[in-house]
C-alpha cells in the first residue's frame, strides 16, 4: 500500500507490554479486546461472514436502550483475540429506520478498530457510495466483495487489488456461504488490526488531495462536492470542530443533510450561537438547490463511485436475469402465487409444525420421555427427600419440573424450534419479500403495507419477538396496528401448534370455524384500526433478493440463535409460573401450612375468575370440586396464560388429552385463548415499544374482544347444537 | 389591449422592473419620460407604491414577454448572425421591439427553444417551449404506466418525501439507471442494475422513466 501521511486518531493508543503478546489489546473495552464491526446493507451476507469468523459462540442482545438486536462474538485474527459485532442492516450513514440508527450509533460510540464493510459484489455500484461515506467519516475500513461467485456467474470481473489501490483500503473477494476467501479476509483483518505500527493510528492510508482542493483526502480518493456545499462544509467545520468520533467533514455533510441525531450531538457540545449559525448555513445552502441536499450529495458520491467502478470492474454487457427467475415470477404471480402461499402454509406450518411438531414430537417428548421416564423418576427421588409441602414445589401438580420445565421443554420447545426452522428457510430462500409484494394491496386496506408481512409471519412463531421487529416498519401508525394485531389475532407457534393439534382431532369443521373466526377478527380489527388511526398512507418498497437454495448450516445457526434467545426468555417465566402457582396453593390446614390445589390465594383468584370461565364454558372451581381429574379451572388457564400464552395453551392441551373437554369447549377456548391477552413477556415488549398507556389500552381491548368473541361463538354453537353440547 | 404595441421606452422599463423583481437586479432603472410613465399607468401595467414602481399581474406578463424577446434577440444575433460583445446588447435593444405577433415564437423554434441568453440569464419560456416540452415528455413516463418487459432509464424521482427518494436511491434506483419492468400487478416489480425492487403503484408513479425505443 502507499506510504502517505496518516490521519491522527482521537483514541488513546495502548502501549504493548512484555506480558501481552498482542500489541493491540484494548483495556478501554469491557472485553479487553479490540472491536471489529461488520456493517453493510441488508441481504449482503453479513451474518454469514460473521458466523464464519466467530463460529458458534455468539451472544445476541438488544443494543442498550433499544430493542434492536446486535450479535456479538469473538475470534482470533493475526494471533489476537478480537471482539466481533454484527450490526443491523444499514443502507447509508444517514439513517432512516431505528435499525440503521443503531448501526451508526455503534460506529460512533464503540470506536471499532476496524470496520468490515460487506457488499454484494454484483451490486457494488450501488453499495460503493457507502464505502466512500465510511472513508469520508475517517473510519478504518476493509471492504469485502461478498457473494463473489454469484456475481462472477453473471459475468462480473473484479480487480480487487486495483479497487483497493483506488480506495486506499484492503479489498477482498469472498463468498461467505461457501467459505471462499474467508481465510484471506481473516489474514487481511489481522494485518489491519494488529500491526504494531498501526496501534497508535488506524490504518487508513490517505493520499493528499490536489492543491486548492478543499476536500479532506478520503482513502485513495478525493470527493469534492459542489462549490456551494464545500463552502458550507468549511463554514460548519470552523464552527463545530470535531465533537464526535466521525471526521468533521462527514459530520458537516450529515448536518447539511438534516441529520437530527448529529445535530443533537453537536448541540450538546457547541454553543447555542454556533448551533444557530450552523442551522442558518444549512438552510441557506439548501435554498440554493432545487433538490434536497441529501440527494445532491448522494448523486455526487454515486458519480465518484461510478468512476472508480469503471476503472476496476468489468460488468456484463447485458442486464442479466437472475437464476431461478422463472420460479421467482411464479411466486410473485397474482394468481399462481396464492396457491403457493397456501402450499407453504399447509406443508410448512400445518403439517410440519402442527402435525409433526405439536403431534408427533410433543407426544414423544411429553408423554414418553417426560411423562413416562423423567418425571416419575424425579418424583420418586424428590418425594423421598422432601416433605410433601416442599416436594410439591418441584414435582407436584404445578411442580417446577413436572409442570414448568416439562411444558417448556416437551411442548413449547419442539413446536417453536420447528417454526423457527421454517421461518429461517423462508428468510434465506428470499421468499418473504415476494410474499410481501403479493400481499401489499390487501394490507393497504388495513392501514399497513406489504412490509408488515414479515413481523406478522414471525408472529406465528413468537409474538414477542415479532413485536420487537415492528421496528422495520416506518410509520408509528403501522407499528401500532401491527402490535395490536400481533397481540390479538396472531397465535404464536406454541399456541397454534397445540390448538391445531386439538382442533384437527375434533374434526375439520372445528378447524374451519376456528380459522374463519380468527381471520374475520384480524381483518375487521385491521380495517377499523386503519379507519380510526390517523396517519399518512405508507409507501411500499422492498428489495427482492434473488431466490437462493438456503444453506442448511446457515439455517441451522439462525434457528439455533433464535431458539436460544426464546428459551432464555421462556424458561424463567415457566419456572416462575410454577412457583407462583405453588405459592398460591399454600393454605393453612389444621394449623399447618399445606399444599392444596385450588385452595389458598390462587383458589380465591380462580373463584373470582369463575364468571369469565363460565362465560366461555370452561371448568369453574365448582366443576373441579366435582371432578378431581380436572387439573385446571378456566381461571387457572387464564392466569397462567398471562405468564405465557403458550402455557395456557399447554394447560388446555393437558385437559383435552385427558378427554375432559367437549368439542364446543375446544373450539371456543381455542378462539378465546388465541385472541386473549398476550403473555407477560409480550406485554413488557409492548410497553417498551409503544409506551405504557398504549400497551394497557391494547390489553384491555384484547381482553374484551377475546372473551366477547368466545362467549358469542359459544352461544351460537350451543344454539345450533351443531357440534353437540 | 393585449396586442397593442408599447413604446420601446416602456418595454425597456418593464424589462428592468422584471429583472429587479425576479432576478435580483440591483442597478438603475432606465429613465422614463412623462409620456412613458403615463402609458405605463394607463395600461395598468404598474402601480406607484411607497415612492417605487411595482408591476401588476398584467404588467408582469408583458414584462416577461419583453424580456423573452430581448434575450431571444440576443441569442439570434449571437448564435446565427455572429455578433459579439457590446454589439449584441445594442443590436438586441433595437431588434427586440420588432419581434411581435408570434415572430418571437418562430425564432424560438428556429433556435431550438434555448433556455438562456448569451449572458447566461434564463429566457422565460413561451407557448412554443411548453408545447415542445410536452412532446418531449411523452418519451418520459411514470414507471406505473409502462408495460411488462419494457425497458428504459430513470429520468427523475418526483416523490415529495426525501426519505423515500433516499431509500430508492440506496436500492439503486438513481436517475440515469437502466430499468426493466418485470411485473405490474399486484405490485410493480422492476430491475435496476442487478437488483429487483417491488414498489406499490403510487410509488411507481413517482419514478419517471425515459422509455427505450419509443414507438
Amino acid at each position: 500500500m502507499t506510504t502517505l501521511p496518516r490521519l491522527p486518531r482521537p483514541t488513546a493508543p495502548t502501549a504493548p507490554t512484555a506480558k501481552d503478546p498482542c500489541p493491540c489489546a484494548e483495556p478501554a473495552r469491557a472485553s479487553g479486546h479490540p472491536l471489529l464491526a461488520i456493517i453493510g446493507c441488508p441481504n449482503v451476507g453479513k451474518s454469514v461472514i460473521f458466523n464464519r469468523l466467530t463460529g458458534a459462540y455468539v451472544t445476541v442482545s438488544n443494543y442498550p436502550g433499544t430493542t434492536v438486536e446486535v450479535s456479538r462474538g469473538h475470534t482470533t485474527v493475526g494471533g489476537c483475540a478480537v471482539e466481533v459485532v454484527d450490526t443491523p442492516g444499514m443502507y447509508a450513514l444517514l439513517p432512516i429506520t431505528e435499525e440503521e440508527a443503531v448501526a451508526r450509533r455503534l460506529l460512533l460510540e464503540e470506536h471499532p478498530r476496524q470496520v468490515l464493510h460487506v457488499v454484494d459484489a454484483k451490486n457494488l455500484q450501488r453499495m460503493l457510495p457507502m464505502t466512500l461515506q465510511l472513508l469520508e467519516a475517517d473510519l478504518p475500513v476493509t471492504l469485502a466483495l461478498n457473494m463473489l461467485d454469484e456475481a462472477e456467474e453473471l459475468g462480473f470481473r473484479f480487480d480487487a487489488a486495483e479497487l483497493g489501490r483506488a480506495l486506499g483500503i484492503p479489498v477482498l473477494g469472498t463468498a461467505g456461504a461457501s467459505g471462499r476467501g474467508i481465510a484471506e479476509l481473516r489474514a487481511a483483518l489481522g494485518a489491519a488490526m494488529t500491526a504494531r505500527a498501526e496501534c497508535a493510528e488506524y490504518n487508513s492510508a490517505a493520499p493528499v488531495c490536489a492543491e486548492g482542493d478543499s476536500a479532506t483526502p478520503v482513502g485513495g480518493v478525493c470527493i469534492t462536492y459542489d462549490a456551494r456545499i464545500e463552502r458550507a462544509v468549511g463554514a460548519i467545520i470552523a464552527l463545530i470542530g470535531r465533537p464526535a468520533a466521525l471526521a468533521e467533514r462527514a459530520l458537516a455533510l450529515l448536518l447539511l443533510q438534516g441529520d437530527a441525531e448529529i445535530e443533537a450531538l453537536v448541540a450538546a457540545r457547541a454553543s447555542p450561537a454556533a448551533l444557530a449559525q450552523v442551522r442558518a448555513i444549512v438552510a441557506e445552502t439548501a435554498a440554493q438547490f432545487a433538490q434536497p441536499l441529501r440527494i445532491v450529495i448522494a448523486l455526487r458520491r454515486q458519480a465518484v463511485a461510478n468512476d472508480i467502478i469503471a476503472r476496476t470492474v468489468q460488468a456484463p454487457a447485458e442486464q442479466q436475469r437472475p437464476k431461478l427467475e422463472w420460479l421467482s415470477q411464479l411466486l410473485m404471480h397474482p394468481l399462481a402465487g396464492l396457491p403457493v402461499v397456501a402450499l407453504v402454509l399447509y406443508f410448512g406450518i400445518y403439517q410440519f409444525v402442527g402435525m409433526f411438531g405439536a403431534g408427533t414430537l410433543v407426544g414423544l417428548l411429553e408423554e414418553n420421555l417426560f411423562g413416562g421416564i423423567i418425571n416419575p423418576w424425579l418424583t420418586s427421588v424428590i418425594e423421598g427427600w422432601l416433605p410433601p409441602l416442599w416436594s410439591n414445589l418441584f414435582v407436584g401438580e404445578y411442580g417446577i419440573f413436572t409442570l414448568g420445565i416439562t411444558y417448556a421443554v416437551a411442548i413449547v420447545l419442539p413446536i417453536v424450534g420447528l417454526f423457527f426452522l421454517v421461518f429461517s428457510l423462508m428468510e434465506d430462500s428470499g421468499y418473504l419479500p415476494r410474499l410481501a409484494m403479493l400481499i401489499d394491496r390487501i394490507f393497504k386496506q388495513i392501514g399497513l403495507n406489504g412490509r408488515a408481512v414479515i413481523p406478522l409471519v414471525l408472529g406465528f412463531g413468537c409474538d414477542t419477538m415479532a413485536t420487537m421487529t415492528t421496528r422495520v416498519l416506518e410509520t408509528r401508525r403501522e407499528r401500532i396496528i401491527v402490535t395490536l394485531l400481533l397481540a390479538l389475532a396472531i397465535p404464536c407457534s406454541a399456541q397454534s401448534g397445540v390448538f391445531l393439534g386439538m382442533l384437527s382431532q375434533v374434526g375439520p369443521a372445528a378447524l374451519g370455524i376456528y380459522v374463519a373466526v380468527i381471520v374475520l377478527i384480524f381483518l375487521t380489527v385491521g380495517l377499523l384500526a386503519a379507519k380510526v388511526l390517523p396517519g399518512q398512507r405508507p409507501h411500499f418498497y422492498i428489495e427482492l433478493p434473488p431466490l437462493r437454495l438456503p444453506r442448511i448450516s446457515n439455517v441451522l445457526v439462525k434457528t439455533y440463535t433464535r431458539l436460544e434467545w426464546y428459551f432464555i426468555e421462556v424458561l424463567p417465566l415457566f419456572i416462575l409460573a410454577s412457583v407462583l402457582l405453588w405459592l398460591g396453593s399454600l393454605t393453612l390446614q389444621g394449623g399447618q401450612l399445606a399444599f392444596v390445589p385450588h385452595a389458598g390465594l390462587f383458589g380465591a383468584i380462580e373463584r373470582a375468575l369463575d364468571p369469565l370461565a363460565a362465560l366461555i364454558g370452561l371448568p369453574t372451581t365448582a366443576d373441579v370440586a366435582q371432578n378431581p381429574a380436572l387439573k385446571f379451572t378456566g381461571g387457572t388457564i387464564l392466569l397462567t396464560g398471562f405468564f405465557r400464552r403458550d402455557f395456557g395453551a399447554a394447560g388446555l392441551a393437558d385437559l383435552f388429552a385427558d378427554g375432559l373437554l367437549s368439542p364446543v369447549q375446544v373450539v371456543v377456548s381455542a378462539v378465546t385463548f388465541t385472541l386473549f391477552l398476550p403473555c407477560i413477556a409480550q406485554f413488557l415488549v409492548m410497553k417498551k415499544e409503544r409506551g405504557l398507556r398504549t400497551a394497557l389500552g391494547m390489553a384491555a381491548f384484547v381482553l374484551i374482544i377475546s372473551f366477547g368473541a368466545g362467549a358469542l361463538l359459544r352461544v351460537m354453537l350451543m344454539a345450533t347444537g351443531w357440534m353437540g353440547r | 389591449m393585449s396586442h397593442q404595441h408599447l413604446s420601446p421606452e416602456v418595454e425597456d422599463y418593464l424589462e428592468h422592473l422584471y429583472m429587479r423583481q425576479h432576478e435580483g437586479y440591483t442597478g438603475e432603472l432606465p429613465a422614463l419620460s412623462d409620456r412613458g410613465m403615463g402609458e405605463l399607468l394607463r395600461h395598468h401595467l404598474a402601480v406607484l407604491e411607497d415612492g417605487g414602481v411595482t408591476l401588476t399581474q398584467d404588467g408582469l406578463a408583458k414584462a416577461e414577454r419583453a424580456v423573452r424577446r430581448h434575450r431571444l434577440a440576443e441569442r439570434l444575433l449571437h448564435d446565427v448572425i455572429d455578433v459579439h460583445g457590446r454589439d449584441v446588447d445594442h443590436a438586441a435593444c433595437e431588434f427586440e421591439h420588432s419581434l411581435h405577433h408570434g415572430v418571437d415564437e418562430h425564432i424560438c423554434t428556429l433556435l431550438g427553444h434555448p433556455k438562456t441568453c448569451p449572458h447566461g440569464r434564463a429566457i422565460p419560456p413561451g407557448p412554443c417551449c411548453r408545447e415542445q416540452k410536452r412532446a418531449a415528455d411523452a418519451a418520459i413516463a411514470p414507471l406505473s404506466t409502462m408495460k411488462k418487459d419494457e425497458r428504459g432509464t430513470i429520468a427523475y424521482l418526483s416523490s415529495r418525501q426525501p426519505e423515500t427518494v433516499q431509500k430508492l436511491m440506496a436500492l439503486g434506483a438513481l436517475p440515469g439507471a437502466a430499468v426493466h419492468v418485470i411485473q405490474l400487478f399486484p405490485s410493480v416489480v422492476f430491475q435496476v442494475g442487478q437488483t429487483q425492487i417491488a414498489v406499490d403503484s403510487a410509488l411507481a408513479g413517482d419514478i419517471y422513466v425515459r422509455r427505450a425505443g419509443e414507438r
Side-chain angles (χ1 to χ4, degrees):
Chain A
M1 306 221 62
T2 43
T3 50
L4 289 157
R6 289 166 195 290
L7 299 172
R9 281 256 147 198
T11 344
T14 327
T17 61
K19 266 187 177 174
D20 180 10
C22 168
C24 283
E26 213 149 88
R29 295 190 56 76
S31 67
H33 303 305
L35 182 70
L36 168 66
I38 303 181
I39 70 156
C41 292
N43 303 315
V44 297
K46 283 190 305 296
S47 300
V48 178
I49 290 208
F50 173 81
N51 290 334
R52 286 271 172 197
L53 287 176
T54 57
Y57 301 100
V58 171
T59 51
V60 180
S61 60
N62 294 341
Y63 197 74
T66 71
T67 48
V68 177
E69 278 179 14
V70 170
S71 311
R72 290 173 195 271
H74 284 86
T75 191
T76 312
V77 295
C80 275
V82 298
E83 193 184 327
V84 190
V85 59
D86 183 16
T87 62
M90 169 159 76
Y91 282 104
L93 215 47
L94 181 66
I96 293 179
T97 62
E98 180 76 19
E99 301 215 320
E100 289 183 293
V102 164
R104 189 178 73 178
R105 212 171 305 156
L106 206 141
L107 291 179
L108 272 171
E109 290 169 359
E110 297 205 20
H111 305 287
R113 180 166 300 173
Q114 189 69 207
V115 174
L116 175 61
H117 184 204
V118 181
V119 299
D120 174 359
K122 66 177 175 302
N123 281 314
L124 180 64
Q125 186 164 20
R126 72 175 164 94
M127 297 184 180
L128 193 60
M130 183 150 101
T131 316
L132 296 176
Q133 241 181 324
L134 294 169
L135 291 172
E136 218 166 39
D138 197 14
L139 290 161
V141 183
T142 297
L143 178 64
L145 306 174
N146 198 29
M147 305 184 181
L148 189 60
D149 37 9
E150 234 178 56
E152 286 179 344
E153 217 167 288
L154 289 171
F156 282 93
R157 297 289 174 271
F158 300 89
D159 187 342
E162 186 55 38
L163 186 56
R165 271 192 292 280
L167 294 169
I169 56 169
V171 175
L172 293 106
T174 56
S178 68
R180 177 180 161 196
I182 297 295
E184 293 83 350
L185 177 65
R186 196 184 281 277
L189 289 171
M193 291 183 78
T194 62
R196 246 163 222 282
E198 312 286 47
C199 287
E201 301 158 13
Y202 291 124
N203 61 325
S204 79
V208 184
C209 284
E211 197 66 35
D213 199 339
S214 60
T216 315
V218 158
V221 278
C222 291
I223 309 172
T224 357
Y225 297 90
D226 185 285
R228 289 165 287 182
I229 291 178
E230 289 296 341
R231 263 200 303 281
V233 166
I236 292 174
I237 292 175
L239 282 165
I240 61 167
R242 184 173 190 152
L246 294 183
E248 303 89 326
R249 184 173 166 77
L251 286 178
L253 283 167
L254 288 170
L255 285 170
L256 277 174
Q257 294 171 77
D259 190 314
E261 197 176 312
I262 297 292
E263 202 186 285
L265 203 140
V266 169
R269 312 205 187 172
S271 68
L275 187 68
Q277 270 180 283
V278 168
R279 287 203 181 120
I281 294 171
V282 172
E284 194 185 303
T285 314
Q288 295 180 42
F289 291 89
Q291 285 178 304
L293 284 179
R294 61 173 81 192
I295 291 166
V296 176
I297 290 173
L299 282 173
R300 171 68 190 139
R301 217 177 261 134
Q302 184 70 54
V304 174
N306 290 350
D307 184 50
I308 294 173
I309 285 172
R311 286 184 279 138
T312 56
V313 180
Q314 208 184 316
E318 280 284 294
Q319 199 175 41
Q320 300 287 312
R321 305 305 292 270
K323 269 197 308 185
L324 295 175
E325 181 68 7
W326 63 271
L327 183 58
S328 169
Q329 298 216 4
L330 178 77
L331 295 180
M332 298 191 295
H333 192 277
L335 292 178
L338 293 177
V340 176
V341 178
L343 283 179
V344 168
L345 289 180
Y346 180 76
F347 285 105
I349 307 294
Y350 182 77
Q351 283 295 340
F352 188 61
V353 179
M355 295 297 104
F356 174 67
T360 316
L361 270 187
V362 169
L364 278 176
L365 285 171
E366 194 206 3
E367 282 162 35
N368 301 352
L369 185 64
F370 277 82
I373 305 169
I374 299 179
N375 286 344
W377 176 76
L378 268 177
T379 307
S380 67
V381 170
I382 290 178
E383 280 182 345
W385 284 347
L386 296 171
L389 175 67
W390 289 102
S391 70
N392 268 303
L393 172 60
F394 298 100
V395 292
E397 190 99 50
Y398 309 135
I400 291 174
F401 291 112
T402 45
L403 188 83
I405 293 179
T406 304
Y407 278 13
V409 177
I411 301 185
V412 171
L413 190 66
I415 300 174
V416 177
L418 290 190
F419 178 85
F420 285 157
L421 189 67
V422 173
F423 188 77
S424 303
L425 281 171
M426 288 208 260
E427 223 179 7
D428 278 19
S429 60
Y431 182 59
L432 284 176
R434 288 169 173 80
L435 189 57
M437 68 71 72
L438 267 186
I439 214 145
D440 176 60
R441 271 174 194 267
I442 298 168
F443 272 25
K444 286 269 167 60
Q445 299 301 314
I446 55 172
L448 302 175
N449 74 44
R451 220 164 250 280
V453 86
I454 293 167
L456 286 174
V457 170
L458 186 58
F460 283 105
C462 171
D463 285 309
T464 308
M465 196 183 263
T467 305
M468 288 183 182
T469 61
T470 52
R471 300 194 156 238
V472 302
L473 305 173
E474 286 173 10
T475 64
R476 191 171 156 266
R477 174 179 187 236
E478 290 171 277
R479 286 184 220 128
I480 289 178
I481 295 176
V482 172
T483 306
L484 177 63
L485 289 175
L486 283 171
L488 183 69
I490 305 289
C492 70
S493 59
Q495 278 185 305
S496 51
V498 168
F499 290 153
L500 291 181
M502 284 161 57
L503 290 161
S504 55
Q505 284 180 52
V506 172
L511 193 61
I513 292 173
Y514 170 81
V515 172
V517 171
I518 299 296
V519 169
L520 186 72
I521 288 178
F522 176 90
L523 291 177
T524 314
V525 170
L527 280 170
L528 288 177
K531 284 253 184 309
V532 170
L533 286 169
Q536 79 222 58
R537 288 182 46 192
H539 271 317
F540 170 67
Y541 56 85
I542 203 161
E543 182 181 349
L544 302 168
L547 287 179
R548 299 188 176 105
L549 202 61
R551 290 189 85 87
I552 290 304
S553 59
N554 297 336
V555 168
L556 290 180
V557 168
K558 226 177 211 178
T559 307
Y560 173 79
T561 316
R562 286 209 170 99
L563 205 53
E564 188 185 315
W565 173 88
Y566 180 80
F567 210 57
I568 290 169
E569 186 85 9
V570 159
L571 196 61
L573 285 167
F574 273 45
I575 292 174
L576 181 69
S578 287
V579 173
L580 289 177
L581 282 171
W582 174 80
L583 272 176
S585 304
L586 295 184
T587 184
L588 280 175
Q589 236 173 24
Q592 289 268 312
L593 204 56
F595 172 84
V596 184
H598 310 296
L601 181 63
F602 255 60
I605 298 175
E606 279 171 357
R607 277 191 296 283
L609 289 172
D610 273 347
L612 271 183
L615 191 64
I616 57 166
L618 281 181
T620 59
T621 36
D623 299 325
V624 174
Q626 279 173 17
N627 181 1
L630 286 169
K631 226 192 291 186
F632 306 109
T633 71
T636 333
I637 294 168
L638 206 67
L639 212 55
T640 53
F642 188 63
F643 284 96
R644 294 287 320 179
R645 257 210 290 208
D646 31 25
F647 195 112
L652 274 178
D654 219 356
L655 291 181
F656 178 74
D658 294 342
L660 297 167
L661 292 180
S662 71
V664 173
Q665 276 177 316
V666 170
V667 177
V668 170
S669 50
V671 164
T672 310
F673 285 99
T674 296
L675 298 175
F676 178 54
L677 213 57
C679 67
I680 189 129
Q682 192 186 346
F683 181 77
L684 292 176
V685 171
M686 280 164 68
K687 178 183 142 266
K688 195 160 152 193
E689 296 281 329
R690 302 287 96 84
L692 182 62
R693 266 185 50 199
T694 311
L696 282 175
M698 283 187 188
F701 178 77
V702 167
L703 185 71
I704 293 166
I705 298 287
S706 59
F707 279 87
L712 193 64
L713 182 63
R714 175 159 183 271
V715 169
M716 282 161 61
L717 289 176
M718 298 293 266
T720 56
W722 189 29
M723 301 180 78
R725 299 243 141 87
Chain B
M1 186 184 109
S2 62
H3 287 301
Q4 200 168 355
H5 286 192
L6 296 166
S7 64
E9 176 193 34
V10 170
E11 284 202 340
D12 283 343
Y13 195 79
L14 282 177
E15 285 171 37
H16 282 84
L17 274 178
Y18 175 90
M19 290 197 293
R20 194 171 67 176
Q21 278 179 239
H22 293 273
E23 296 179 347
Y25 170 75
T26 51
E28 291 281 298
L29 292 175
L32 190 63
S33 68
D34 287 351
R35 223 180 116 241
M37 185 56 83
E39 193 180 340
L40 196 65
L41 297 177
R42 194 171 59 246
H43 291 299
H44 306 289
L45 300 176
V47 287
L48 290 170
E49 271 178 358
D50 308 324
V53 187
T54 312
L55 287 172
T56 61
Q57 206 60 28
D58 209 22
L60 177 66
K62 281 257 191 315
E64 200 177 77
R65 290 298 291 264
V67 170
R68 174 173 156 77
R69 283 193 297 271
H70 180 97
R71 292 181 184 168
L72 277 174
E74 286 180 344
R75 261 266 86 98
L76 180 72
L77 292 165
H78 182 273
D79 294 0
V80 181
I81 309 178
D82 214 22
V83 184
H84 292 284
R86 296 188 66 84
D87 296 344
V88 174
D89 302 352
H90 289 301
C93 282
E94 301 298 316
F95 197 18
E96 59 169 300
H97 304 296
S98 28
L99 297 182
H100 287 287
H101 281 310
V103 180
D104 55 341
E105 300 293 279
H106 290 302
I107 291 179
C108 185
T109 308
L110 173 76
L111 295 174
H113 311 281
K115 299 233 170 347
T116 54
C117 73
H119 305 93
R121 286 193 285 261
I123 300 177
C128 64
C129 306
R130 285 188 275 273
E131 189 58 42
Q132 190 264 346
K133 189 166 182 299
R134 215 167 305 138
D137 279 356
I140 296 180
L143 187 63
S144 51
T145 62
M146 291 176 70
K147 296 195 171 58
K148 188 169 154 47
D149 269 326
E150 216 182 316
R151 287 167 193 271
T153 49
I154 294 181
Y156 56 94
L157 307 170
S158 80
S159 173
R160 278 152 302 280
Q161 297 169 328
E163 297 194 338
T164 307
V165 174
Q166 189 190 337
K167 250 316 154 43
L168 282 174
M169 285 176 36
L171 290 174
L174 287 154
V179 286
H180 173 189
V181 180
I182 291 172
Q183 185 175 333
L184 291 161
F185 186 87
S187 303
V188 178
V189 179
F190 62 99
Q191 180 161 349
V192 277
Q194 301 303 322
T195 307
Q196 288 193 0
I197 305 170
V199 296
D200 58 28
S201 43
L203 200 53
D206 285 343
I207 302 172
Y208 282 81
V209 178
R210 189 180 304 281
R211 301 159 111 155
E214 253 302 271
R215 296 131 302 142

